[in-house]
Structure formats: C-alpha cells, structure tokens
Amino acid sequence: QVQLVESGGGLVQAGGSLRLSCATSGRAFTSYTMCWFRQAPGKERELVAGIKWYGDTTYYADSVKGRFTISRDSAKTTVYLQMNNLKPEDTAVYYCAASYGTPPNVGVHYWGQGTQVTVSS
C-alpha cells in the first residue's frame, strides 16, 4: 500500500518554528519530485516547496523563501519541511505529495492526508 504520512503540525505562535515530516512507504519514490503543498481555508491549494531525491535542486514559493527549508533523509524515505519565523498567513493544512515535472509546474501522483499548521498572532 502506497503511503505518504505527514506529521509535525500543530499550533505555534508567530515567529515560532515547526518541522513537518513526510514518511513514504509502499514503493520507491526516488523517481519523483517530493513536494509540500498547503491549503488555507477558502483558498486554492498552493505549492510551497519541492525537492528531488538526488542532487541539490530545490524550489520554494516566494512567500516562504528564506523561512522554510525542504530536505530529505539519506535513506530516501522521508522528506522534511523546516518552517521558521512562522506567520499567521502560513496557517493551512500542509500536504506532502509525490510529483512529476519540474516545480512550479508539477502534477501529483500521490497525496498525503495532510497536517494542520496553525500560527497565532
């Protein structure tokens, strides 16, 4: 069974930090670009960050550049999103995704179930 399981969400004050994790299982995902999306209430889902399993290529939306860092583990099974200096506008459900294409132009093959991030002012 193919799974992407997110964890690490929660409630944090503005200026704080959280680290999201996405554990993959059920198949090898090394041919995909792993991405983090988010969806705030009443808004469309948006791409936040992306990374390939090999090499140093990363992508960040302008709204998170300099604050968020996407990374992966050496076993190539888990992807992380370190979020620093969080702002209330970062409040959203964050989704891990196994994607194809080159960010920001990606399609998604597999979605995780999402994890809520709430930033209080």
Side-chain angles (χ1 to χ4, degrees):
Q1 183 181 3
V2 175
Q3 283 190 311
L4 302 176
V5 180
E6 301 98 332
S7 61
L11 173 64
V12 64
Q13 288 188 331
S17 298
L18 285 173
R19 188 174 85 152
L20 305 183
S21 298
C22 172
T24 68
S25 63
R27 63 156 292 161
F29 285 86
T30 52
S31 62
Y32 290 99
T33 297
M34 299 302 296
C35 294
W36 287 96
F37 288 78
R38 68 185 180 187
Q39 188 166 21
K43 295 188 177 181
E44 293 188 354
R45 194 170 295 190
E46 63 172 345
L47 176 63
V48 173
I51 189 169
K52 294 185 179 293
W53 290 106
Y54 297 94
D56 298 325
T57 302
T58 56
Y59 167 84
Y60 297 97
D62 288 343
S63 58
V64 306
K65 280 181 182 176
R67 300 189 298 122
F68 290 12
T69 303
I70 190 170
S71 62
R72 64 206 184 264
D73 69 339
S74 58
K76 298 183 177 57
T77 61
T78 304
V79 178
Y80 304 98
L81 186 67
Q82 177 67 42
M83 306 186 295
N84 297 329
N85 190 21
L86 282 160
K87 303 176 180 181
E89 52 263 44
D90 294 318
T91 295
V93 178
Y94 283 71
Y95 298 90
C96 178
S99 307
Y100 56 91
T102 301
N105 300 308
V106 297
V108 176
H109 270 161
Y110 301 103
W111 289 102
Q113 84 286 353
T115 186
Q116 176 70 46
V117 171
T118 303
V119 184
S120 64
S121 58

